[in-house]
Amino acid sequence: MTPDLSEIEAAAAHQNLAVVGVTGGTVLLGPLEPGFWAAFTKSPEWLDGQPDPMDRWSDRVISQLADGLGADALFPFGPKAGNFLQLALDSGTAWSSPVGMLVHCDAGLMVSYRGALVFDEALPPVATPGTPCIPCERPCTTACPIGALTADGYDIPACKAHIASPAGADCLENGCLARRACPVSQTFARDPAQSGYHMERFLG
Ligand code: SF4
Ligand code: SF4
């Protein structure tokens, strides 16, 4: 039997994860803030110095959660990969932003999906808000200092070149200025060190 959403939320919170969307029997999980990064960096996956600590942590923790709650686990990566873009849109808590990437009702442009729990039965529908992009003055479209991320698209090579240069140190250490310009992102207490980690991985 599928547990109540409150039971799922409580079990996820024990692992510093939040329910960030529900669609049918699929419950999407993302970092619970504040505190996710501080907890994650104490995990064995972070401390062992091996590659891909975030994905390995997600795999272990969400697989254990799924076992405990009678669900299957789904991830944005690896052999159990699902279409998280579509699931996020279907959940009604994330939308396409003017700069192309997803914007989430709570996390804004800092949204991140670590995995999902898939139950046999659908959960009751959850009330969902409207997109925060209406109305919004769209600072995400103009915040990139080199115009690499605008309503016209994302120039990834230009972005990478910038963050690899001294002028791009702020993006590299604290995260993308365009994502940080979103007023919804600004209410979401993500540790800048987490954004810096993802930027370093992006740079390769
Ligand atoms: S800055 Fe405004 S328009 Fe851009 S993603 Fe955030 S809410 Fe939407
Ligand atoms: S990381 Fe910096 S350079 Fe790249 S798109 Fe974001 S603001 Fe622009």
Side-chain angles (χ1 to χ4, degrees), residues 144-145 149 154 159 162-163 171 176-178 199:
C144 174
L149 186 59
Y154 186 20
C159 170
H162 181 68
I163 62 178
C171 294
C176 172
L177 283 158
M199 293 305 274

Side-chain angles (χ1 to χ4, degrees), residues 8-106:
I8 299 168
E9 286 174 330
H14 270 297
Q15 303 294 345
N16 299 96
L17 287 166
V19 170
V20 291
V22 178
T23 173
T26 302
V27 177
L28 302 170
L29 299 172
L32 178 64
E33 301 293 2
F36 175 82
W37 187 250
F40 166 68
T41 50
K42 292 187 181 76
S43 71
E45 288 82 3
W46 177 261
L47 295 171
D48 69 14
Q50 298 300 306
D52 302 324
M54 183 76 83
D55 288 356
R56 291 187 292 115
W57 178 88
S58 304
D59 191 348
R60 173 176 63 82
V61 168
I62 294 174
S63 296
Q64 286 172 353
L65 268 178
D67 286 347
L69 292 165
D72 289 325
L74 197 66
F75 298 97
F77 54 83
K80 290 187 186 172
N83 185 346
F84 275 71
L85 177 60
Q86 192 59 54
L87 288 168
L89 294 170
D90 290 348
S91 77
T93 53
W95 305 265
S96 285
S97 73
V99 284
M101 56 190 63
L102 286 176
V103 56
H104 182 265
C105 58
D106 297 324

Side-chain angles (χ1 to χ4, degrees), residues 3-11 123:
D4 288 345
L5 187 58
S6 58
E7 193 181 330
I8 299 168
E9 286 174 330
L123 280 96

Side-chain angles (χ1 to χ4, degrees), residues 97-98 103 109 132-133 136 138-140 181-184:
S97 73
V103 56
L109 293 174
C133 303
C136 178
R138 305 190 165 199
C140 56
C182 173
V184 188

